[in-house]
Amino acid sequence: MWQSSPPGSIYDYIRVASFSIGADGLIEQWSRRAAGLFGMSSAEVVGRDPVEAFMPAELRPDAHRAVSEILDGKEWTGLVPFRIPGENAVRGLAEIYVMPSETETGERAALCIVVDVRALRRIETDLAASQAIFGQSPFGFVLFGTDFTVVRANKRFATVFGGEADDHRGRTVDDYLARPEAERLSSTLRRVLETGDAVTDLQLVGTPPGTTGRRHWSMNLYRVHSGAGRPVGIAGLATDVTQRHIAAREAASARRNLALLNEASARIGNSLDLETTARELLDVAVPGFCDLASVDLYQGLLTGEEASPASWGRHHQESGTGSAELRRVAHASAVSDALPEVFAAGTGSGAEGAGDTGPPTLGSVHRYPFHSPCAVALRTGRVEDVPGDERGFVHSTLAVPMVAHDVVVGLVQFSRTKGSESFGERDRALATELAARAAVCIDNARLYRREHERALILQRSLLPPGDPEAAGLDIACRYLPGNTATEVGGDWFDVIELPGHRTALVVGDVMGRGLRAAVAMGELRTAVRTLALLDLEPAEVLSALDEVARGLGTPGGGERSDGFGAGGGAQWPSRAAHKSREADLSEVYLATCVYAVYDPVTRRCTFANAGHLPPVVAEPGEPALLLDVPPGMPLGVGGEPFEEVEVELKEGALLALYTDGLVESRDHPLDEGLDAFRQALAEPSQPLEDVCDHVLTTLDTRHGEDDIALLMARIQGLAPDAVGDWRLPRELRSVGRARELAREQLTAWDLDDLVDTTELLVSELVTNALRYGEGEIRLRLLRDRTLVCEVWDAGLVQPRRRRARDTDEGGRGLQLVGLLSAAWGSRRTPRGKTVWFELALPDGAPAAELSVEQLLSMY
């Protein structure tokens, strides 16, 4: 079938032309393509000698001979230079093929086929370049026809998909890719062919023939046109980017792991509660790292056993009976609908003692069989792979021991369900790191809880037991420790009975927290009691206590060393000793304290303050006031004397001493807390216990942030008829007068059983005051829970009990006082001294008589 050559045919590229020569050797016919090639029209050429028409002059002789030979019937092929029209002196080169022919009359003629050699060389070069690019390209190159079948593929493409390059001709995308990917590529090819828009980096996934691994390709597609612009197909350049995908996936995994570790650092360990820390671990891991997770901790850790963590499971592991008891403290799932079954895979070979044959439930106590992966992980401290369940729901599980300081404290299991990737080596490392971080936090919580409990026990043991009692005072107290998330503080209070039915009230607070603060508080409390029994003035007590507090931060527990030996020779301290001293001095403890002494006879109270909050007094019918007691410096600072303030309190007044946890918090300033405290004491006439409860429930104490100590005392004073007070002149007859006054007062008090003992001891004390004292003598009897006798004089020399020699006629008075009284002593006063003794009130039983040994001890 005849068909015209469309534009853009091969002839347009190779530039073929023709003309004919007649028997006379002149051009007889001249084609249009010849006119285009040589730039001469048929009118200019027909009838002319072809040699003369378009050949250079220097070539014409040889050309004439060639034409003669052609007309003689000889074929000829050769290269003929010619002038290129419109290009000045530029010459072209044509390959001419001359075929002899005959006219109708039998005369010799010739048909000449002319090809532009320059065009042929250009096509040849283009084909060679195309072949080099197409055949030698390291990338897979494929050309699809307009019917989307493969027209051509290069060797690299064949290397990936098998066979030789020519074997791929006629194949379709369905021969290379699975249906979803093939359909996606087909639609893309169709779009490129229709629109002409190129597509770059089309991501395709497939499995090459004969392999099992999935590969990733990046494909660039563009439409191919003929010289006339007609679409002839789609070219595709495919690059294997599998390694790039693997690297990208690993980089993404590394970024995810780093993000998880950062999140773990921020979220795990914010609480000192073991179960809360376990839940924080799972909040980080699910679903960011796994689909399911659970945490088991050793039961001994949770119950606070004193045994070391390493020994919790040793017996069971050595005996081969399985793991020690563990408790399931947390679990989490990203597939909540599968919760009843998903944790079965996390138990390895199954847990014993969980209550049934299923997986352990939250809060259950169980053991793992000895040879199960979980028991092995606990025993060895290494990560173990746990087989998936038979139904295939959980296909990958890691049993990761929780190791802190080379000790296993529990087990965490991470599981991934069907559809998620199995755990790899990078995942195992991350799982180990997550478990280790949680384990350290859990172990820290365990150690903290142990220290907290010990400090709490110490703190409780140092507080006054029950409801303290004091003469002339109704006392109520409250102590509220911080919650379990807050370390034990150094708050304390005390009520100390002093001679003369006086009472010392103490409230203090060691700055700092934890066991060391509790120990420091115990030392200070013991020192306060010791100093109080010496019957020192409040300011003197605080001054001595300040020395004790400063001694708590020095080497040796209170002795300040200057680096000199005991033998009198100077010794330079060693470098180690110097460093130790610097380290110890950095542990100096500061404390605040209020020390008050109340005398029920005068209803006067003397205060001294070491940096503590001021006492509050609420008198009947009056608003509560803050006493203006100079605060002084905290204990442990040193260098400043303490001042005393004496206040006379009305009957029924309420005195409150407290620590800062009652009135201070981060939510409001201290002044607001003090004002609220004073307002809470608006009705001090209520029962004292009710007043304490009202204060604690009214104030916004934010309990749990700090310990709270509250000591309240209602002033009652001794009744006037419970006090006998006399002044005696400094003369011998005052001894008899003192006995007489004591006898009359005891008879009035119906204490006849104490008359003889009291007369004897009063006589001894008044005699000593006349013999060794100075000035006027004062005798005072006080009756409350006991009978107290006080003898005062202006002398400053304190009485000293000594053993009399056999030849001495005296010197046995104080020995007698010590034997017959329940207690005795002396104290300094602002203008002298007071010697006192105390007798228990009779309870109806006959008085105990002195033994022979006691009587002989005086001689």
Side-chain angles (χ1 to χ4, degrees):
M1 182 177 62
W2 294 96
Q3 181 178 353
S4 60
S5 177
S9 68
I10 188 63
Y11 302 106
D12 292 330
Y13 291 101
I14 64 176
R15 301 187 69 182
V16 177
S18 66
F19 64 92
S20 64
I21 301 175
D24 56 0
L26 302 178
I27 298 174
E28 187 176 67
Q29 292 180 339
W30 190 254
S31 68
R32 291 182 180 178
R33 287 186 179 272
L37 176 63
F38 294 104
M40 303 174 69
S41 65
S42 60
E44 295 175 289
V45 176
V46 173
R48 292 185 61 184
D49 185 341
V51 175
E52 298 294 333
F54 51 80
M55 292 193 66
E58 66 272 15
L59 298 178
R60 289 174 182 171
D62 293 336
H64 282 298
R65 285 193 298 269
V67 171
S68 299
E69 292 176 356
I70 293 171
L71 293 177
D72 288 338
K74 184 179 179 180
E75 290 189 1
W76 183 83
T77 302
L79 297 177
V80 178
F82 66 92
R83 294 187 302 273
I84 298 177
E87 297 187 13
N88 298 325
V90 178
R91 294 183 179 182
L93 186 65
E95 183 179 71
I96 300 179
Y97 175 47
V98 181
M99 296 176 289
S101 62
E102 292 183 359
T103 64
E104 295 178 354
T105 61
E107 293 178 317
R108 300 288 179 91
L111 175 62
C112 301
I113 304 297
V114 184
V115 178
D116 187 347
V117 175
R118 190 173 59 173
L120 287 176
R121 297 293 182 267
R122 185 167 55 246
I123 293 173
E124 183 182 26
T125 303
D126 291 345
L127 288 175
S130 175
Q131 180 62 29
I133 295 173
F134 195 85
Q136 300 172 20
S137 172
F139 308 109
F141 199 96
V142 61
L143 180 62
F144 294 96
T146 54
D147 58 352
F148 308 129
T149 61
V150 176
V151 175
R152 187 177 180 186
N154 69 350
K155 186 176 180 180
R156 178 59 182 169
F157 186 87
T159 301
V160 175
F161 291 98
E164 298 296 330
D166 291 340
D167 298 337
H168 293 273
R169 296 179 185 274
R171 292 185 182 180
T172 65
V173 294
D174 295 304
D175 296 320
Y176 303 105
L177 301 173
R179 180 175 295 276
E181 291 291 87
E183 291 178 351
R184 192 159 65 90
L185 179 55
S186 295
S187 64
T188 305
L189 290 173
R190 188 176 297 107
R191 185 172 69 254
V192 172
L193 183 62
E194 292 174 353
T195 64
D197 297 332
V199 172
T200 59
D201 198 22
L202 175 66
Q203 298 293 316
L204 298 172
V205 180
T207 303
T211 64
T212 57
R214 289 163 60 88
R215 309 296 294 179
H216 294 260
W217 297 284
S218 172
M219 200 163 192
N220 298 328
L221 299 171
Y222 58 94
R223 191 169 68 182
V224 179
H225 303 86
S226 67
R230 178 173 56 87
V232 294
I234 305 102
L237 183 66
T239 306
D240 191 329
V241 293
T242 304
Q243 293 302 320
R244 189 173 72 186
H245 271 264
I246 293 175
R249 186 167 62 247
E250 290 181 351
S253 177
R255 288 193 297 270
R256 181 201 65 184
N257 292 352
L258 181 59
L260 279 174
L261 290 177
N262 289 337
E263 185 180 5
S265 300
R267 297 181 61 181
I268 299 176
N270 293 322
S271 168
L272 289 172
D273 180 72
L274 301 177
E275 289 84 353
T276 301
T277 301
R279 288 193 297 270
E280 290 170 347
L281 168 61
L282 300 193
D283 289 341
V284 172
V286 180
F289 176 66
C290 62
D291 301 317
L292 315 166
S294 63
V295 176
D296 298 320
L297 297 180
Y298 276 119
Q299 180 71 353
L301 181 148
L302 296 168
T303 56
E305 293 181 10
E306 288 297 325
S308 65
S311 64
W312 285 327
R314 184 174 300 157
H315 170 73
H316 298 281
Q317 294 169 358
E318 292 176 352
S319 63
T321 58
S323 69
E325 288 187 340
L326 298 109
R327 185 191 303 173
R328 178 63 54 88
V329 296
H331 63 205
S333 171
V335 282
S336 57
D337 55 340
L339 265 179
E341 57 183 283
V342 293
F343 287 101
T347 62
S349 300
E352 300 172 351
D356 52 25
T357 58
T361 58
L362 187 63
S364 65
V365 178
H366 59 278
R367 294 186 178 92
Y368 289 111
F370 185 79
H371 295 292
S372 66
C374 293
V376 173
L378 289 168
R379 191 162 57 249
T380 63
R382 295 192 299 267
V383 180
E384 293 290 329
D385 291 309
V386 180
D389 60 345
E390 296 179 356
R391 291 166 292 180
F393 185 80
V394 174
H395 71 91
S396 184
T397 297
L398 296 178
V400 186
M402 306 180 72
V403 183
H405 311 299
D406 297 327
V407 175
V408 179
V409 298
L411 182 78
V412 57
Q413 297 178 71
F414 302 107
S415 299
R416 288 180 179 174
T417 58
K418 187 176 181 181
S420 300
E421 291 186 5
S422 298
F423 291 110
E425 287 303 317
R426 191 187 299 273
D427 295 322
R428 293 170 68 93
L430 176 60
T432 302
E433 180 65 23
L434 289 175
R437 295 196 179 199
V440 170
C441 295
I442 286 175
D443 195 52
N444 289 342
R446 175 185 68 85
L447 296 175
Y448 164 77
R449 185 173 65 179
R450 184 177 66 180
E451 178 178 336
H452 185 274
E453 290 174 351
R454 290 177 178 178
L456 204 57
I457 292 173
L458 173 63
Q459 194 176 44
R460 298 295 188 277
S461 67
L462 297 175
L463 295 175
D467 295 327
E469 296 181 357
L473 292 175
D474 181 15
I475 295 178
C477 52
R478 294 288 187 276
Y479 181 81
L480 301 178
N483 57 33
T484 56
T486 308
E487 291 189 77
V488 171
D491 294 16
W492 91 93
F493 67 92
D494 209 346
V495 178
I496 306 171
E497 293 187 52
L498 301 178
H501 290 309
R502 294 171 305 126
T503 303
L505 304 175
V506 189
V507 167
D509 184 3
V510 176
M511 299 180 186
R513 296 188 172 279
L515 184 60
R516 295 181 66 84
V519 171
M521 177 269 286
E523 294 190 40
L524 291 178
R525 178 182 180 273
T526 302
V528 169
R529 279 191 160 266
T530 302
L531 295 170
L533 294 179
L534 295 177
D535 218 346
L536 302 177
E537 295 297 322
E540 294 177 327
V541 170
L542 292 187
S543 295
L545 198 61
D546 178 63
E547 290 293 330
V548 173
R550 283 188 286 162
L552 293 179
T554 60
E559 299 180 3
R560 294 183 177 271
S561 172
D562 294 325
F564 295 95
Q571 297 179 352
W572 293 104
S574 66
R575 181 182 300 271
H578 180 69
K579 290 183 177 179
S580 175
R581 182 178 299 109
E582 287 183 348
D584 288 338
L585 287 175
S586 66
E587 299 280 348
V588 173
Y589 284 95
L590 300 179
T592 62
C593 181
V594 169
Y595 186 87
V597 175
Y598 172 67
D599 188 343
V601 178
T602 61
R603 294 200 313 277
R604 300 185 72 82
C605 191
T606 304
F607 297 91
N609 190 354
H612 203 79
L613 295 173
V616 175
V617 172
E619 295 183 344
E622 300 291 337
L625 299 175
L626 297 175
L627 290 181
D628 187 13
V629 179
M633 299 298 292
L635 301 175
V637 175
E640 293 292 334
F642 297 97
E643 300 182 39
E644 293 181 357
V645 172
E646 188 176 63
V647 178
E648 183 175 352
L649 302 174
K650 294 183 179 179
E651 186 78 17
L654 188 63
L655 173 64
L657 306 179
Y658 52 94
T659 57
D660 56 0
L662 182 68
V663 295
E664 189 175 23
S665 78
R666 288 174 289 184
D667 298 333
H668 55 72
L670 178 61
D671 291 342
E672 292 183 9
L674 292 173
D675 291 341
F677 182 33
R678 292 192 300 108
Q679 294 174 8
L681 297 176
E683 298 181 8
S685 60
Q686 294 181 348
L688 203 54
E689 295 290 338
D690 294 343
V691 174
C692 285
D693 294 337
H694 176 71
V695 168
L696 294 179
T697 56
T698 300
L699 295 185
D700 183 16
T701 61
R702 298 290 180 183
H703 174 52
E705 295 181 359
D706 196 1
D707 293 358
I708 296 175
L710 175 62
L711 177 62
M712 287 190 175
R714 177 169 284 124
I715 306 302
Q716 294 177 341
L718 289 182
D721 57 1
V723 179
D725 194 355
W726 306 276
R727 298 181 182 273
L728 302 174
R730 191 170 187 79
E731 53 189 36
L732 290 177
R733 63 185 182 90
S734 294
V735 177
R737 178 58 179 163
R739 289 198 300 268
E740 179 183 350
L741 292 173
R743 181 173 58 252
E744 292 176 354
Q745 186 64 67
L746 292 181
T747 301
W749 286 341
D750 294 328
L751 297 178
D752 297 330
D753 294 342
L754 300 181
V755 169
D756 294 340
T757 303
T758 304
E759 283 189 17
L760 176 60
L761 300 184
V762 165
S763 176
E764 290 292 338
L765 295 187
V766 172
T767 298
N768 282 346
L770 288 173
R771 183 177 299 175
Y772 305 109
E774 299 177 6
E776 187 182 34
I777 298 172
R778 183 177 178 182
L779 172 65
R780 189 166 72 167
L781 294 176
L782 306 175
R783 179 188 178 184
D784 193 68
R785 290 173 297 163
T786 61
L787 176 68
V788 174
C789 174
E790 298 177 335
V791 175
W792 176 88
D793 69 83
L796 298 177
V797 179
Q798 297 290 319
R800 181 172 61 88
R801 182 176 176 177
R802 63 182 179 86
R803 181 177 291 276
R805 291 177 301 214
D806 295 343
T807 57
D808 291 343
E809 296 183 359
R812 298 177 178 84
L814 291 182
Q815 287 184 278
L816 188 62
V817 173
L819 288 172
L820 296 179
S821 64
W824 79 278
S826 66
R827 67 177 183 275
R828 290 179 298 170
T829 63
R831 293 180 300 277
K833 67 176 180 297
T834 297
V835 183
W836 58 271
F837 67 84
E838 184 176 350
L839 297 175
L841 297 181
D843 55 2
E849 297 182 357
L850 295 176
S851 64
V852 176
E853 289 77 6
Q854 290 175 320
L855 292 174
L856 290 177
S857 66
M858 294 186 295
Y859 297 92

